[in-house]
Amino acid sequence: MNEMNIVKFPSREAWAGILRRPGGNAADLEKTCEAIFEEVKRDGDAAVRKYTWHFDRAHLERLDAREEEFEEAGRSLDPALKAAIRLARENIEAFHRLQLPGRRERVDARGFRCWQEARPIERVGLYVPGGSAPLFSTVLMLAVPARLAGCEEITLCTPPGSDGTVHPAILWSARLCGVTRLFKIGGVQAIAALALGTGSVGRVDKIFGPGNAFVTAAKQRAATRGVAIDMPAGPSELMVVADETAVPAFVAADLLSQAEHGPDSQVFLLALDERLPALVAGEIERQSRGLPRREVIEKALARSACVVPRDREECLEMINCYAPEHLMLSVKNPGEWIPSVRHAGSVFLGNYSPESAGDYVSGTNHTLPTGGHARAHGGLGVESFMKTISFQEISPRGLDCLGPAIEVMAEREGLLAHRNAVRERAKHARP
Amino acid sequence: MNEMNIVKFPSREAWAGILRRPGGNAADLEKTCEAIFEEVKRDGDAAVRKYTWHFDRAHLERLDAREEEFEEAGRSLDPALKAAIRLARENIEAFHRLQLPGRRERVDARGFRCWQEARPIERVGLYVPGGSAPLFSTVLMLAVPARLAGCEEITLCTPPGSDGTVHPAILWSARLCGVTRLFKIGGVQAIAALALGTGSVGRVDKIFGPGNAFVTAAKQRAATRGVAIDMPAGPSELMVVADETAVPAFVAADLLSQAEHGPDSQVFLLALDERLPALVAGEIERQSRGLPRREVIEKALARSACVVPRDREECLEMINCYAPEHLMLSVKNPGEWIPSVRHAGSVFLGNYSPESAGDYVSGTNHTLPTGGHARAHGGLGVESFMKTISFQEISPRGLDCLGPAIEVMAEREGLLAHRNAVRERAKHARP
């Protein structure tokens, strides 16, 4: 196993180079997306079937999963996994329930009141990637908040295997969490079907979920065509801050767990103890021996680095400069660091909060901002599946109070019909 | 003045035609945006100056407003307008303060806790369109929530007049609401400068505010380049529901106030009383006589319609089908309608809540979802200027409880390093 690059006390000019994220080729992706979107728009399900054969090598007569497939999944799934998924669902639901927005109302004694009410987004599309493993945990992370929000139609798309099936853990989780319909469609064709609608797939209002660079480009295309999206997704990231109280074996395990996500994942160790890098490197070497995804890990570590910052302040600046998706604070008093963490997706405190707890069962959402998007975005939550409507009710007396200000402002903005909306009411006999 | 098209009891098949929104030519805009973005990226301020001359006919040595200009604005603005703007700011601040998110924490007795904290988006860019009038009200609607959220750098861009100046009401409002820097830059070049950064303009994390089709296309381009945007903006819209308790003069005034926004604005009257359309048309004719923006209004009304639905249920379906930016409920018991309004930006109840109150002073935000985006988006709020970070802290005992579920789930997803993050900790002597 190659070792991670170790950088001691880098100068500030060197930061951008060290913290650089791997880039992609956006233009190529956009062309592919455009072609598939056009075809799905024109040919609907036929285009979806064509691309499902092309990319997933599956021939599908019917695109959605049948009731029997859900039932069979329930029978075939082993009880230990079911119990684990149930525990995860309970914790995710309990944590996300706290996010349900309340009504916010302001009553002004002068005769008017304004308030906001949240409403579910009616039709949502959830994307669950395929690839080397069945990501049933992502089903939980998307469907539980959608259900809590009260979304009416929850459509899930996930690519089928070449035998036309979907993994039973995905089917069972989808049913457990209240997914309305599940389609065996993946990639750009899935996003196009959700964005445009086909004979089988209903058009949705917002699309959620992770995916590869093609899926991300397809979501961005959907966004410019009037369908909302959750956030731009990219390769996963982890920054671990460790001091002398950290346990090298734990730090190494967490770095490895992030690195195994994909060859374009990126991990950083910010070591506040100069002895740590060598100790962690030794542990990485030892622990990675038995791992099946060793090749993926090796590639990810090649894009990663172990940095020794000068002090705590520099360390915090580096965190906020990178804005990591995941941040672990394996330090003495992690709580003291919190007020200074300005940009991060999800933060794990102390030695016994591994990132994989948040990936699966603690209750926080694992759909998080990558690529520096943590500067402007948080992770998914119940609010992501809702929107607010503003209301106001003004009494005749209230309008007497607000009217003169409306008139002068409207007049100065040159909008005289806006002003007249007040004047016409002032002329009228009061009820 | 041409009359609005009146449609009685339209069949459901006819709805799409009646409620169709005016469309644009997206491809052309994208090409223009691409060219300007490339040039701003390459030449920075020089490109911004070039396009400011090209589009706004202003030669600017310095792009930002100087301290003396703010001071001069304070001296020249008349007291009545200042008082009106102050009243508006107070109400907007009071209503938006309710939106400041609190901490949400879940403590599980088994030994773990998860919580969320909101953080301001550090650097935000506000766009205030120019054109025929100085939209100082938009300064309030963007800067007040940005300030409440705690954003550190609030950069405002607005196009200059050909004499290189910005209207004193915009300068004074910007200063009043805590804008950090104000640049005299408009259009695509402003969005490009905010998204990419130039010598003068710092790059921002999120861009807010309305604008014409070019500005909207530029914001969407910024969004695919890693900068967040508030929402896609489009021409303004109003739907008025009126029954026999409505006052035709008020309804006409509100329709006119919306129509004067621009030739591509759209207004609908849903009349639950068959006599209303003729009465409202008469009032539109009378009231529009003195209006300076009569030509704009005429064009907007040509895209609009007056519909007589069969009953209340059909009326509600039509509202939710269109998902209007503004909705007025000029009906007997407007409160009874609220639970059935699923998609709308801002709702005005009763005869004395004109839409212009929400545009200026009642406290609700006037930056709202248009073009049917109310299906997935709410209007701007304090949360639009913040993001959440998740935190979790697990005790050794808590990890004993969650660990087995993490292990089985990680194993089934084929992510063994994720599983090992638990196992390495289990092996270790407990603190």
Side-chain angles (χ1 to χ4, degrees):
Chain A
M1 174 75 57
N2 290 323
E3 278 185 26
M4 274 165 82
N5 188 21
I6 299 178
V7 194
K8 273 193 197 176
F9 311 133
S11 71
R12 190 163 279 266
E13 294 72 48
W15 285 20
I18 297 165
L19 301 175
R20 180 173 295 131
R21 292 175 160 96
N25 191 345
D28 272 13
L29 304 180
E30 281 171 22
K31 281 220 163 32
T32 307
C33 288
E34 188 180 345
I36 298 179
F37 266 66
E38 285 305 317
E39 221 171 310
V40 169
K41 190 173 178 179
R42 196 185 61 214
D43 302 335
D45 286 335
V48 171
R49 284 200 186 85
K50 174 185 147 184
Y51 284 106
T52 301
W53 170 245
H54 187 75
F55 291 116
D56 302 312
R57 289 287 139 193
H59 267 309
L60 291 181
E61 197 49 51
R62 196 173 151 167
L63 292 167
D64 62 332
R66 284 167 296 116
E67 188 52 38
E68 305 89 84
E69 292 175 84
F70 285 106
E71 286 165 13
E72 174 53 29
R75 283 191 295 272
S76 70
L77 215 62
D78 73 285
L81 183 55
K82 279 186 184 172
I85 291 174
R86 277 208 186 87
L87 175 69
R89 194 193 69 109
E90 275 161 31
N91 286 336
I92 296 166
E93 193 172 304
F95 183 59
H96 283 71
R97 191 178 290 283
L98 302 175
Q99 299 162 18
L100 276 166
R103 177 186 163 109
R104 294 124 162 199
E105 181 164 15
R106 173 171 185 249
V107 180
D108 193 294
R110 289 169 288 184
F112 58 99
R113 62 190 186 107
C114 302
W115 71 99
Q116 282 188 319
E117 295 182 25
R119 295 277 191 281
I121 297 175
E122 208 163 86
R123 310 167 304 189
V124 297
L126 316 182
Y127 187 76
V128 175
S132 47
L135 298 179
F136 51 84
S137 62
T138 299
V139 178
L140 303 178
M141 295 295 176
L142 300 177
V144 169
R147 194 72 186 171
L148 273 174
C151 302
E152 237 170 69
E153 282 175 49
I154 306 175
T155 306
L156 190 149
C157 284
T158 192
S162 58
D163 60 353
T165 65
V166 163
H167 194 279
I170 288 188
L171 289 166
W172 190 78
S173 303
R175 183 49 60 92
L176 180 73
C177 301
V179 165
T180 321
R181 287 182 85 190
L182 187 149
F183 289 93
K184 303 173 194 174
I185 314 174
V188 178
Q189 62 273 24
I191 306 301
L194 292 169
L196 305 167
T198 69
S200 303
V201 185
R203 188 180 187 276
V204 302
D205 302 315
K206 190 169 178 178
I207 300 174
F208 299 80
N212 61 19
F214 280 100
V215 169
T216 299
K219 279 169 64 185
Q220 290 190 321
R221 187 171 185 83
T224 62
R225 299 296 183 279
V227 180
I229 61 170
D230 53 352
M231 65 183 118
S236 203
E237 311 151 356
L238 170 67
M239 211 168 226
V240 180
V241 180
D243 66 9
E244 70 287 353
T245 68
V247 183
F250 301 180
V251 173
D254 296 324
L255 293 172
L256 286 169
S257 79
Q258 189 58 33
E260 80 175 335
H261 271 297
D264 49 2
S265 294
Q266 197 170 39
V267 298
F268 289 99
L269 169 61
L270 305 186
L272 290 167
D273 178 336
E274 284 191 53
R275 294 163 305 180
L276 270 175
L279 296 169
V280 171
E283 280 291 333
I284 286 179
E285 183 60 38
R286 177 183 70 79
Q287 294 181 27
S288 62
R289 260 172 229 145
L291 290 173
R293 295 169 73 89
R294 205 183 139 103
E295 213 173 305
V296 165
I297 290 170
E298 195 130 13
K299 281 185 188 149
L301 292 186
R303 300 168 175 278
S304 302
C306 171
V307 183
V308 184
R310 272 176 195 80
D311 53 25
R312 197 187 115 131
E313 270 55 53
E314 199 177 84
C315 185
L316 274 162
E317 278 180 63
M318 225 172 258
I319 294 168
N320 290 318
C321 176
Y322 185 69
E325 181 193 16
H326 302 99
L327 172 67
M328 301 193 65
L329 297 174
S330 301
V331 293
K332 198 171 179 197
N333 293 308
E336 289 174 7
W337 289 62
I338 291 178
S340 309
V341 174
R342 296 199 310 274
H343 315 299
S346 200
V347 185
F348 300 77
L349 282 75
N351 285 331
Y352 286 85
S353 309
E355 190 236 293
S356 51
D359 281 346
Y360 291 115
V361 301
S362 62
T364 57
N365 208 292
H366 78 198
T367 313
L368 296 165
T370 56
H373 289 294
R375 296 192 66 86
H377 294 270
L380 273 199
V382 169
E383 301 102 319
S384 315
F385 293 85
M386 308 187 82
K387 82 262 179 165
T388 51
I389 304 182
S390 294
F391 295 88
Q392 61 201 283
E393 185 159 35
I394 305 177
S395 70
R397 196 169 51 88
L399 195 59
D400 287 342
C401 160
L402 297 175
I406 300 172
E407 289 198 38
V408 66
M409 289 176 79
E411 215 170 280
R412 296 312 177 81
E413 287 196 351
L415 298 172
L416 296 199
H418 280 64
R419 182 198 65 189
N420 289 356
V422 175
R423 290 208 174 159
E424 287 293 331
R425 285 167 168 91
K427 285 199 290 196
H428 203 260
R430 283 307 151 81
Chain B
M1 172 80 53
N2 289 323
E3 275 184 31
M4 275 167 83
N5 188 20
I6 299 179
V7 194
K8 272 193 197 177
F9 311 134
S11 73
R12 191 164 280 266
E13 294 72 46
W15 286 19
I18 297 165
L19 301 175
R20 180 173 297 130
R21 290 177 161 94
N25 190 344
D28 272 13
L29 304 181
E30 280 172 23
K31 280 219 164 34
T32 307
C33 287
E34 190 181 343
I36 298 179
F37 267 66
E38 285 306 317
E39 221 171 310
V40 169
K41 191 174 178 179
R42 195 186 61 213
D43 302 334
D45 287 334
V48 171
R49 283 202 188 85
K50 173 186 147 182
Y51 283 106
T52 301
W53 169 245
H54 187 74
F55 291 117
D56 301 312
R57 290 286 140 193
H59 266 310
L60 291 182
E61 196 50 50
R62 196 172 153 170
L63 293 167
D64 62 331
R66 283 166 297 117
E67 188 53 37
E68 303 89 82
E69 292 175 84
F70 285 107
E71 286 165 14
E72 174 53 30
R75 281 191 297 271
S76 70
L77 217 61
D78 72 287
L81 182 56
K82 280 186 184 172
I85 291 174
R86 279 210 185 87
L87 175 70
R89 193 193 71 110
E90 276 161 31
N91 285 336
I92 297 165
E93 193 173 304
F95 183 59
H96 284 70
R97 192 178 290 282
L98 302 175
Q99 300 162 15
L100 276 165
R103 179 185 162 111
R104 296 123 160 198
E105 181 163 16
R106 173 171 184 249
V107 180
D108 192 295
R110 291 168 287 183
F112 59 98
R113 62 189 185 108
C114 302
W115 72 99
Q116 284 189 318
E117 296 183 22
R119 294 276 193 279
I121 298 175
E122 211 163 84
R123 308 167 306 188
V124 296
L126 316 182
Y127 187 76
V128 175
S132 47
L135 298 180
F136 51 85
S137 62
T138 300
V139 178
L140 303 178
M141 295 295 176
L142 301 175
V144 169
R147 193 71 187 173
L148 273 173
C151 302
E152 236 170 71
E153 281 176 48
I154 306 175
T155 306
L156 190 150
C157 285
T158 193
S162 58
D163 59 353
T165 65
V166 163
H167 194 280
I170 289 189
L171 289 166
W172 191 78
S173 303
R175 182 50 60 89
L176 180 75
C177 301
V179 165
T180 321
R181 284 182 87 190
L182 187 149
F183 289 94
K184 302 174 196 173
I185 314 174
V188 178
Q189 63 272 25
I191 306 301
L194 292 168
L196 305 166
T198 68
S200 304
V201 185
R203 189 180 187 275
V204 302
D205 302 314
K206 190 168 180 180
I207 300 174
F208 299 79
N212 61 19
F214 280 99
V215 169
T216 299
K219 280 169 66 184
Q220 289 189 323
R221 186 169 188 85
T224 63
R225 299 297 183 279
V227 179
I229 61 169
D230 53 352
M231 65 182 118
S236 203
E237 310 152 356
L238 170 67
M239 210 168 225
V240 179
V241 180
D243 65 9
E244 71 286 355
T245 67
V247 182
F250 301 179
V251 173
D254 296 325
L255 293 172
L256 286 170
S257 81
Q258 189 59 32
E260 79 174 336
H261 270 299
D264 48 3
S265 294
Q266 199 170 36
V267 298
F268 289 100
L269 169 61
L270 306 185
L272 290 166
D273 178 336
E274 284 192 55
R275 292 164 304 178
L276 269 176
L279 295 171
V280 171
E283 280 291 335
I284 287 181
E285 183 60 38
R286 178 183 69 79
Q287 293 181 27
S288 62
R289 259 173 230 145
L291 290 173
R293 294 169 73 88
R294 206 183 139 108
E295 214 173 307
V296 166
I297 290 170
E298 195 132 11
K299 283 185 186 146
L301 293 186
R303 299 166 176 280
S304 303
C306 171
V307 183
V308 184
R310 273 177 196 76
D311 53 25
R312 195 187 117 131
E313 272 53 55
E314 199 176 85
C315 186
L316 274 163
E317 279 179 63
M318 224 173 260
I319 293 168
N320 289 318
C321 175
Y322 185 69
E325 182 194 16
H326 302 98
L327 172 67
M328 301 193 66
L329 297 173
S330 302
V331 293
K332 195 169 181 199
N333 292 309
E336 288 173 7
W337 289 61
I338 291 179
S340 309
V341 174
R342 297 200 309 275
H343 315 299
S346 200
V347 185
F348 300 77
L349 281 75
N351 284 332
Y352 286 84
S353 309
E355 190 236 295
S356 52
D359 281 345
Y360 292 114
V361 301
S362 64
T364 58
N365 208 292
H366 79 198
T367 313
L368 296 164
T370 56
H373 290 294
R375 296 193 66 87
H377 294 269
L380 273 200
V382 169
E383 302 102 318
S384 315
F385 293 85
M386 307 187 82
K387 79 263 178 165
T388 51
I389 304 182
S390 294
F391 294 87
Q392 61 201 284
E393 184 157 37
I394 306 176
S395 71
R397 195 168 52 85
L399 195 59
D400 287 343
C401 160
L402 297 174
I406 299 171
E407 288 198 37
V408 66
M409 289 176 78
E411 216 169 283
R412 298 310 177 82
E413 288 196 352
L415 298 171
L416 296 199
H418 280 65
R419 181 197 68 188
N420 289 358
V422 175
R423 289 208 174 159
E424 286 294 330
R425 284 168 168 89
K427 285 198 291 196
H428 202 260
R430 283 308 153 83

